[in-house]
């Protein structure tokens, strides 16, 4: 689907800031390895061998072509079809290498994170999922570097996945749309997010909450929804009160959603 850049709601980047912590390089890896049967282990080794033969230049080690937990996750995503898993995993590993995901740190994203437009919440939701919160009204794509926004997004996703409790595989995304205006709209970055979760972090997003969406958000949603495909079913429009009552306890609810 082509997106016309002349649309009044299209800006160039939406981002996700993290709260400041001490300097920390992203050395995150897939948490909670999927239980393996003899058959799935054979498929993992088959993918691993194919990657070694067909893509020997890909990096090895954590999140590399020989990372068996990562291979198994992509096999699961591709319904254990070896060729499909190899293709998608190759794209993901190349992207990680070219984007420099392993070099991302609190320090490298601190400027864009300082806008306060997104962060990883300190607590899990009631379903035991790490929570990414996006404050859309603090995003001004015409004044912010889209690449820096993308780096922040990747950093936060990596950090969220590193916080997964045992037995959990998905994260929760909350888009706080209170105060959202046309100057905050950014189809291109939303498209980037879709690509991230479909290609590079498949099946890691368990649910997306669009909180108190104003009328001006509706045209953007109509443009984005077809791009989401199956991911559209993960989206729930709800109120701040719903977030507070259904997804957190009084002690764990994000400060911006307290009553």
């Amino acid at each position: 689907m082509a997106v016309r850049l002349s649309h009044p709601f299209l800006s160039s980047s939406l981002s996700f800031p993290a709260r400041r912590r001490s300097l920390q390089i992203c050395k995150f890896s897939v948490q909670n390895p999927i239980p393996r049967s003899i058959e799935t282990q054979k498929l993992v080794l088959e993918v691993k061998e194919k990657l070694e033969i067909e893509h020997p230049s890909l990096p090895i080690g954590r999140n590399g072509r020989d990372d068996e937990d990562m291979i198994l996750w992509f096999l699961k995503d591709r319904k254990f079809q070896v060729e499909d898993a190899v293709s998608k995993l190759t794209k993901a590993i190349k992207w990680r290498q070219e984007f420099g995901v392993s070099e991302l740190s609190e320090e490298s994203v601190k400027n864009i994170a300082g806008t306060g437009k997104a962060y990883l919440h300190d607590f899990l939701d009631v379903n035991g999922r790490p929570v990414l919160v996006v404050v859309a009204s603090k995003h001004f794509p015409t004044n912010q570097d889209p690449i820096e926004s993308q780096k922040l997004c990747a950093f936060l996703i990596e950090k969220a996945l590193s916080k997964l409790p045992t037995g959990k595989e998905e994260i929760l995304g909350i888009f706080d749309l209170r105060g959202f205006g046309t100057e905050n709209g950014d189809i291109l970055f939303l498209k980037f997010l879709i690509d991230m979760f479909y290609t590079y972090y498949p099946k890691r997003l368990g649910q997306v909450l669009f909180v108190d969406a104003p009328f001006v958000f509706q045209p953007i949603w109509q443009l984005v929804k077809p791009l989401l495909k199956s991911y559209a079913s993960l989206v729930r429009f709800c109120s701040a009160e719903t977030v507070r009552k259904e997804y957190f306890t009084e002690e764990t609810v994000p400060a911006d959603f307290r009553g």
Side-chain angles (χ1 to χ4, degrees):
M1 173 181 175
V3 177
R4 294 180 58 192
L5 298 182
S6 60
H7 191 282
F9 291 103
L10 304 189
S11 306
S12 63
S13 83
L14 180 61
S15 67
F16 292 63
R19 291 180 175 176
R20 297 187 180 181
R21 297 288 188 275
S22 57
L23 176 61
Q24 179 182 15
I25 300 296
C26 277
K27 295 297 181 184
F28 306 126
S29 61
V30 174
Q31 302 291 304
N32 311 316
I34 307 167
R36 306 180 189 180
S37 66
I38 293 177
E39 289 303 315
T40 57
Q41 183 61 25
K42 287 181 179 178
L43 293 175
V44 168
L45 295 178
E46 185 177 347
V47 171
K48 188 175 179 180
E49 182 178 359
K50 278 183 168 292
L51 288 171
E52 180 180 6
I53 294 173
E54 298 173 10
H55 304 281
S57 63
L58 291 178
I60 59 175
R62 184 178 296 177
N63 296 312
R65 60 175 169 78
D66 61 345
D67 185 330
E68 295 187 5
D69 289 335
M70 188 178 184
I71 290 173
L72 185 53
W73 185 263
F74 275 75
L75 272 168
K76 179 183 176 182
D77 172 62
R78 295 290 86 192
K79 303 185 187 308
F80 293 93
Q81 298 298 310
V82 169
E83 292 297 336
D84 290 345
V86 168
S87 176
K88 195 166 186 177
L89 189 53
T90 299
K91 291 178 182 178
I93 295 174
K94 284 182 177 179
W95 172 79
R96 295 183 66 90
Q97 185 179 33
E98 294 167 358
F99 199 73
V101 173
S102 64
E103 281 76 50
L104 295 174
S105 68
E106 298 278 2
E107 181 68 19
S108 68
V109 300
K110 70 176 183 179
N111 289 335
I112 192 70
T115 63
K117 61 184 175 182
Y119 58 89
L120 178 64
H121 184 42
D122 293 332
F123 298 96
L124 306 176
D125 76 345
V126 294
N127 297 307
R129 299 174 294 190
V131 180
L132 291 179
V133 181
V134 181
V135 185
S137 64
K138 294 183 179 181
H139 170 64
F140 298 96
T142 58
N143 301 325
Q144 295 157 352
D145 186 340
I147 301 302
E148 293 303 308
S149 297
Q150 292 174 12
K151 288 181 179 179
L152 179 59
C153 175
F155 176 79
L156 288 176
I157 294 172
E158 291 280 316
K159 190 172 182 179
L161 293 177
S162 75
K163 303 295 185 182
L164 284 169
T166 301
K168 298 295 181 180
E169 300 176 340
E170 300 172 336
I171 63 179
L172 171 67
I174 300 178
F175 283 74
D176 185 353
L177 296 171
R178 291 173 293 180
F180 176 90
T182 56
E183 69 276 13
N184 307 119
D186 194 344
I187 292 293
L188 295 183
F189 193 79
L190 288 173
K191 176 65 165 59
F192 170 77
L193 280 181
I194 294 167
D195 290 341
M196 288 274 284
F197 281 109
Y198 179 79
T199 304
Y200 310 133
Y201 299 98
K203 297 188 183 303
R204 288 304 199 179
L205 192 61
Q207 191 174 24
V208 178
L209 306 181
F210 285 163
V211 182
D212 288 332
F215 178 77
V216 294
F217 181 76
Q218 296 307 314
I220 293 179
W221 172 241
Q222 294 305 315
L223 288 171
V224 170
K225 187 176 181 180
L227 299 177
L228 289 172
K229 299 179 181 178
S230 62
Y231 273 84
S233 64
L234 302 180
V235 174
R236 179 186 183 186
F237 285 81
C238 65
S239 66
E241 182 180 10
T242 297
V243 172
R244 181 170 63 254
K245 292 184 175 180
E246 295 187 17
Y247 292 88
F248 298 94
T249 65
E250 288 186 11
E251 293 75 24
T252 63
V253 65
D256 290 341
F257 293 91
R258 295 186 184 280

